[in-house]
Amino acid sequence: IKSIGDYVFYGCSALENVSIANTVTAIGGNAFAGCTSLNNIVIPNTVTELIQNTFRGCTSLTDIKLPYGMKKLYGSVFRDCTNLSEVHIPASVTVMLGEVFEGCDMEKLTLYVTEGSRAQVWARENGVNYVINGSVGFGDTDGNGMLTASDCVYIIQKVLDSSFTTPVENNPDLDFTALWDVNMDGKLSATDAAGILQKSLDSSY
C-alpha cells in the first residue's frame, strides 16, 4: 500500500487504533474524518504532509506524535478534535496554515516543538501553548537532533542561495549562524559544510 485516499475511513466511528505502514507516502483529505473513537494513530516518516481535514472530528484523539520528515500541515488537519491536548511537531515541518487546529480547545492544547522551528513560531503567533522539547545544536540545520549528510546539503544550498532557509531558520529571535559557522570566519561556506560532515562521521572531530 502506497497511499490512503480521500475519505477512505471517513465516518468509521468504531475505529480505535491505526498503524500506517512505512510504504505509505500520502494520506488523502478527510481520510480519517469523523472517526470519533480513534485514540491512537502511528504515522510513518515516509508521510511528508497532511492535507485538509485529515483528522477532522476525531474527538477521542488526545495526543499525536508527528514523525520527523513531516514537512507540511495544511488547513483544518485537526479541525474539531475537541479533546486534543498534546501534539509533537518536528522541526522538519516548515509549513503550517493558521487553521490547522480550528475548532480545537485551545486552552487545553499544548504543542511540543523544537526551539527555532516553524512550529514554535506558529504557536507564538497564534497564542497556542507550547513546550520546547529540544533545541538546534552545532551544525544541526534540519533540527532532527543529530548530524547527517543532509545538514551539509542545507549549508551548501544556503551558500549558493542566501535567500534559502533551512527547516529550523523560522525563528527571527535566534541566530543560527554561530552554530553553523564551523571555522568561525563570520560567513557560511563549503568549508563549514565539510566540517559538519567530518563531525557527523567522527564525533571526536
Side-chain angles (χ1 to χ4, degrees):
I1 296 175
K2 296 181 178 179
S3 66
I4 297 174
D6 297 344
Y7 292 94
V8 169
F9 297 102
Y10 179 82
C12 291
S13 58
L15 184 64
E16 296 181 1
N17 298 285
V18 176
S19 183
I20 300 174
N22 60 13
T23 55
V24 173
T25 59
I27 300 175
N30 291 281
F32 296 96
C35 294
T36 53
S37 297
L38 182 66
N39 58 55
N40 181 59
I41 184 162
V42 177
I43 303 172
N45 59 12
T46 48
V47 176
T48 60
E49 62 181 34
L50 295 176
I51 63 176
Q52 284 80 2
N53 300 311
T54 307
F55 298 104
R56 180 175 182 175
C58 292
T59 52
S60 293
L61 192 63
T62 58
D63 62 271
I64 187 167
K65 186 173 184 178
L66 300 177
Y68 187 82
M70 183 71 66
K71 296 179 180 179
K72 299 177 181 179
L73 300 176
Y74 289 107
S76 303
V77 170
F78 297 103
R79 183 173 182 175
D80 298 330
C81 292
T82 52
N83 288 302
L84 192 62
S85 61
E86 182 176 310
V87 181
H88 292 255
I89 304 178
S92 57
V93 172
T94 57
V95 174
M96 287 182 66
L97 299 189
E99 63 274 22
V100 170
F101 298 103
E102 184 178 1
C104 294
D105 186 342
M106 305 309 272
E107 291 187 1
K108 71 168 64 171
L109 179 63
T110 299
L111 305 184
Y112 289 78
V113 302
T114 299
E115 185 178 17
S117 66
R118 173 58 187 152
Q120 182 193 8
V121 176
W122 185 94
R124 188 170 54 194
E125 290 176 345
N126 290 275
V128 178
N129 299 321
Y130 68 89
V131 172
I132 299 295
N133 63 352
S135 60
V136 180
F138 168 83
D140 187 13
T141 59
D142 59 13
N144 69 348
M146 55 187 175
L147 295 182
T148 64
S150 67
D151 297 310
C152 305
V153 172
Y154 282 126
I155 291 292
I156 293 298
Q157 285 179 284
K158 195 160 186 68
V159 169
L160 296 174
D161 178 8
S162 61
S163 65
F164 173 78
T165 57
T166 68
V168 297
E169 258 188 310
N170 295 291
N171 191 332
D173 296 338
L174 298 176
D175 179 15
F176 297 103
T177 304
L179 291 174
W180 305 335
D181 183 15
V182 177
N183 62 3
M184 293 183 285
D185 64 355
K187 61 183 179 180
L188 294 182
S189 66
T191 303
D192 298 312
I196 291 171
L197 181 59
Q198 285 180 286
K199 184 77 173 175
S200 70
L201 295 173
D202 180 4
S203 60
S204 65
Y205 173 77

